[in-house]
């Protein structure tokens, strides 16, 4: 199956080509046609399956169709109005047909209408003119039809700021040859620039629940025209205590809408949420692309708590060129590991919920670019972090839940790259290793680390 066979419009197809996507992933193959047909979906899929594109592509395609229809209607209405009123031609003003052609040419060249251009001009472009705002306003008034302000048509709710930014980047990439606009809002930063972006008008909003409710309460976000709702990582939103917020939010949304719910696992609360929010959904279940069984080399070190730091330092010294993500159980633990590594001369960063948005983003950028090779993170902070070439995951603390182990090590060994997962396990935690082996159906090699005999 190719993206061509999924009937994807050329501007999006071109953007996907530039991202290097050749074939749709299983969730994209299954979800895109269902979503294009207007159905709701309940997707059981975790990060790494390509689920973001699975919902982003249909939303972009549908909004593009909608805007093309609107532009056509506006052009028709204006032509009719012009025929009736027969206004005197204004100097230097191209005809409507000419505008549209110019816009199309721009879009084809990937210039003016691409994301990131002036918001006012884009709003006017939506109404079918590429003229500066003052001109179109005048013309709009002349025909009694002000240019339509953009309204939010699609909302993506996601648990963390990192995920919100990551999803926003995907929309930037996939919609770069369309005139659609999107933005992300999340807590932990001042709201001013988010409010300015919202004021300029967006079609797609990506949001964490708390900040969204805040902004709605202040009247900066209106969702009465919403047509598409995505709940991403619903199980994580449940874990983080967002479900009441989400129910409150959803009760305020238009009932006629298309809803997509994605969750890596299916606890009862998510099943009940899906029943109350989805209308006759298609259930789509996929396993992550990175399989722990085939692509990741795994080893467990049985080690005393007191020796873990020393073991970590020696493992990192063995592989100075690899990008290594180190998982810690707690924020305090992450800070303490980070400090000891620094004392041992190993450059690293730590990310967790107590770090500011700026600090987290900087740490992530430096890690992704390879400038910093070691990143220490808690599960929540690392959730959804997408690093293409991550060679090693180290579970400094073994996760309590075997599914979390699978999720953590799925970050390495992606897309055919070789990956390594090393897990530290204290003696009283050995039962967890058994549970992990049962879940993955694979025996994990284990070694005993004893600093005295090393
Ligand atoms: P996600 O599960 O949405 O976080 O996506 C995981 C990773 O897969 C991201 O780096 C995407 O850019 C990448 N990806 C998504 N769809 C495709 C595709 N069809 N071909 C190749 N890579 C993809």
């Amino acid at each position: 199956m190719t993206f061509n066979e999924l009937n994807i419009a050329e501007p999006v197809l071109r953007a996907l080509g530039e991202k290097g996507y050749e074939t749709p992933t299983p969730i994209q193959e299954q979800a895109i046609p269902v979503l294009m047909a207007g159905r709701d979906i309940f997707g059981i899929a975790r990060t790494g399956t390509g689920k973001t594109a699975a919902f982003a592509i249909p939303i972009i395609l549908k909004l593009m169709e909608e805007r093309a229809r609107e532009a056509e209607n506006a052009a028709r209405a204006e032509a009719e109005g012009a025929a009736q009123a027969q206004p005197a031609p204004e100097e230097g003003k191209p005809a409507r047909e000419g505008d549209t052609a110019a816009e199309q040419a721009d879009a084809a060249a990937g210039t003016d209408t691409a994301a990131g251009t002036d918001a006012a001009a884009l709003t006017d472009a939506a109404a079918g003119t590429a003229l500066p705002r003052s001109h179109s306003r005048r013309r709009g008034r002349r025909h009694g039809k002000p240019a339509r302000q953009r309204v939010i048509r699609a909302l993506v709710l996601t648990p963390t700021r990192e995920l919100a930014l990551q999803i926003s980047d995907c929309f930037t990439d996939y919609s770069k040859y369309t005139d659609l606009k999107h933005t992300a809002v999340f807590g932990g930063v001042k709201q001013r620039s988010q409010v300015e972006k919202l004021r300029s008008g967006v079609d797609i909003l990506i949001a964490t629940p708390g900040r969204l409710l805040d902004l709605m309460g202040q009247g900066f976000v209106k969702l009465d025209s919403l047509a598409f709702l995505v709940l991403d990582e619903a199980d994580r939103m449940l874990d983080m205590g967002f479900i009441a917020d989400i129910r409150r939010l959803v009760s305020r949304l238009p009932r006629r809408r298309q809803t997509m719910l994605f969750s890596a696992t299916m606890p009862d609360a998510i099943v009940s949420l899906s029943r109350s929010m989805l209308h006759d959904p298609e259930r789509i279940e996929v396993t992550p692309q990175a399989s722990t069984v085939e692509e990741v080399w795994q080893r467990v070190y049985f080690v005393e708590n007191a020796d873990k730091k020393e073991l970590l330092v020696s493992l990192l010294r063995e592989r100075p060129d690899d990008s290594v993500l180190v998982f810690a159980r707690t924020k305090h633990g992450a800070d303490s590991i980070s400090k000891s590594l620094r004392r041992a001369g190993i450059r690293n960063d730590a990310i967790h919920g107590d770090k500011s948005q700026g600090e987290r983003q900087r740490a992530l950028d430096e890690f992704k670019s390879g400038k910093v090779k070691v990143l220490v993170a808690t599960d929540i902070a690392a959730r959804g972090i997408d690093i293409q070439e991550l060679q090693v995951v180290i579970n400094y603390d073994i996760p309590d839940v075997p599914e979390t182990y699978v999720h953590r090590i799925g970050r390495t060994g992606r897309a055919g790259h070789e990956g390594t997962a090393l897990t530290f396990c204290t003696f009283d935690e050995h039962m967890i290793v058994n549970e992990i082996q049962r879940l993955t159906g694979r025996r994990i090699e284990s070694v005993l680390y004893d600093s005295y005999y090393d």
Side-chain angles (χ1 to χ4, degrees), residues 220-292:
F220 293 123
V221 175
K222 297 245 178 320
L223 298 171
D224 357 332
S225 300
L226 196 81
F228 306 99
L229 170 68
V230 180
L231 277 127
D232 189 38
E233 309 238 348
D235 50 351
R236 184 55 46 167
M237 292 205 266
L238 176 77
D239 291 350
M240 292 172 74
F242 285 144
I243 289 298
D245 280 352
I246 286 169
R247 285 194 186 274
R248 201 143 55 90
L249 248 166
V250 172
S251 70
R252 291 160 66 179
L253 300 179
R255 289 173 72 84
R256 261 178 68 94
R257 56 162 203 265
Q258 196 176 357
T259 309
M260 306 151 217
L261 186 150
F262 291 89
S263 189
T265 56
M266 273 213 308
D268 289 347
I270 295 297
V271 175
S272 117
L273 188 74
S274 76
R275 289 217 181 96
S276 63
M277 285 182 32
L278 301 173
H279 172 71
D280 184 26
E282 174 95 9
R283 205 182 121 133
I284 298 175
E285 187 161 1
V286 295
T287 44
Q289 274 172 320
S291 137
T292 64

Side-chain angles (χ1 to χ4, degrees), residues 3 21 23-25 28 47-52 386 388:
F3 280 112
Y21 296 5
T23 50
T25 65
Q28 291 160 6
T47 299
T49 53
K51 68 181 161 67
T52 314
D386 177 36
Q388 283 294 330

Side-chain angles (χ1 to χ4, degrees), residues 22-313:
E22 283 166 10
T23 50
T25 65
I27 192 153
Q28 291 160 6
E29 203 173 306
Q30 292 174 64
I32 292 172
V34 173
L35 292 173
M36 289 310 290
R39 298 264 316 267
D40 284 2
I41 63 168
F42 184 0
I44 300 139
R46 60 182 87 231
T47 299
T49 53
K51 68 181 161 67
T52 314
F55 65 74
I57 293 171
I59 289 175
I60 293 168
L61 294 175
K62 289 199 156 214
L63 292 180
M64 277 171 71
E65 280 171 10
E66 191 177 291
R67 293 178 75 76
R69 261 196 316 274
E70 270 173 19
E72 234 172 68
N73 289 343
R76 196 173 312 120
E78 180 142 345
E80 283 165 14
Q84 277 169 20
Q86 290 189 331
E90 249 180 70
E91 217 182 319
K93 183 166 284 186
R96 163 72 48 176
E97 300 252 315
D99 290 344
T100 309
E103 267 177 70
Q104 283 168 354
D106 281 336
T111 53
D112 192 24
T113 49
T117 44
D118 171 52
L122 283 172
T123 305
D124 293 329
T129 166
L131 293 169
R133 173 168 250 187
S134 56
H135 285 258
S136 74
R137 275 242 184 88
R138 247 192 292 137
R139 185 154 63 167
R141 245 184 256 131
R142 203 153 43 117
H143 297 306
K145 257 189 305 87
R148 173 174 90 76
Q149 258 296 328
R150 274 170 202 270
V151 288
I152 297 168
R153 297 284 286 153
L155 170 68
V156 181
L157 281 175
T158 189
T160 66
R161 331 173 236 208
E162 282 76 14
L163 271 170
L165 284 168
Q166 220 163 270
I167 295 169
S168 178
D169 287 347
C170 289
F171 274 103
T172 305
D173 290 340
Y174 310 150
S175 70
K176 68 196 275 200
Y177 297 122
T178 76
D179 76 341
L180 295 171
K181 284 176 56 81
H182 64 274
T183 195
V185 298
F186 40 80
V189 290
K190 295 216 174 76
Q191 67 171 40
R192 219 182 96 189
S193 67
Q194 297 179 353
V195 168
E196 270 167 23
K197 197 84 208 269
L198 287 166
R199 279 215 180 101
S200 74
V202 296
D203 306 283
I204 301 157
L205 179 64
I206 301 121
T208 53
R211 174 57 58 98
L212 178 62
L213 278 166
D214 251 17
L215 292 170
M216 285 172 79
Q218 299 170 64
F220 293 123
V221 175
K222 297 245 178 320
L223 298 171
D224 357 332
S225 300
L226 196 81
F228 306 99
L229 170 68
V230 180
L231 277 127
D232 189 38
E233 309 238 348
D235 50 351
R236 184 55 46 167
M237 292 205 266
L238 176 77
D239 291 350
M240 292 172 74
F242 285 144
I243 289 298
D245 280 352
I246 286 169
R247 285 194 186 274
R248 201 143 55 90
L249 248 166
V250 172
S251 70
R252 291 160 66 179
L253 300 179
R255 289 173 72 84
R256 261 178 68 94
R257 56 162 203 265
Q258 196 176 357
T259 309
M260 306 151 217
L261 186 150
F262 291 89
S263 189
T265 56
M266 273 213 308
D268 289 347
I270 295 297
V271 175
S272 117
L273 188 74
S274 76
R275 289 217 181 96
S276 63
M277 285 182 32
L278 301 173
H279 172 71
D280 184 26
E282 174 95 9
R283 205 182 121 133
I284 298 175
E285 187 161 1
V286 295
T287 44
Q289 274 172 320
S291 137
T292 64
V293 180
E294 283 132 34
E295 286 157 78
V296 182
W297 183 81
Q298 303 167 62
R299 171 182 271 183
V300 168
Y301 290 88
F302 283 101
V303 54
E304 297 281 1
N305 247 327
D307 295 333
K308 279 186 176 181
K309 285 192 174 129
E310 182 185 292
L311 173 59
L312 181 64
V313 168

